[in-house]
Amino acid sequence: MPARPIVQPARTPERRKPVAIDAAVQRAGLTPPQLATLQTMEQFRWYLHFVRRPLFQAPIPVLFNQDASRFVVIQEDGTLDEQPTLKLRG
């Protein structure tokens, strides 16, 4: 019996679409120390890229530098974690 060729499934197009998120919505729920640190970092051209919101935990704001080569996390008390253990998708 001849071997049947392996048929690769067709790639489905990306369903996720970039969504413009209002800055006020992103900042909602951040602690006052986190907001103060965020404002200071923005003066140094860091920008808030996203906020992780794990269940039953404080939100985790993730900031990137101007050329997106580094990222930091602002802890609940407003301190910076310059070597976070977050795993980011490429």
Side-chain angles (χ1 to χ4, degrees):
M1 177 173 241
R4 293 184 4 182
I6 298 174
V7 178
Q8 296 288 335
R11 293 191 78 159
T12 58
E14 180 64 47
R15 295 182 318 203
R16 295 175 289 186
K17 294 181 176 41
V19 178
I21 299 176
D22 185 23
V25 172
Q26 272 192 316
R27 295 164 193 259
L30 297 183
T31 64
Q34 285 176 323
L35 289 171
T37 302
L38 174 59
Q39 290 172 348
T40 301
M41 293 298 287
E42 287 175 334
Q43 292 176 357
F44 292 101
R45 297 190 180 181
W46 286 72
Y47 63 93
L48 180 61
H49 190 65
F50 62 90
V51 178
R52 287 215 172 142
R53 299 184 186 277
L55 287 176
F56 310 113
Q57 296 178 11
I60 304 169
V62 180
L63 284 72
F64 279 81
N65 65 351
Q66 190 174 7
D67 60 358
S69 61
R70 288 185 51 208
F71 71 95
V72 296
V73 168
I74 304 176
Q75 300 293 332
E76 189 174 2
D77 62 356
T79 58
L80 285 178
D81 183 358
E82 295 185 43
Q83 297 177 342
T85 58
L86 286 177
K87 303 291 184 208
L88 301 180
R89 288 185 255 170

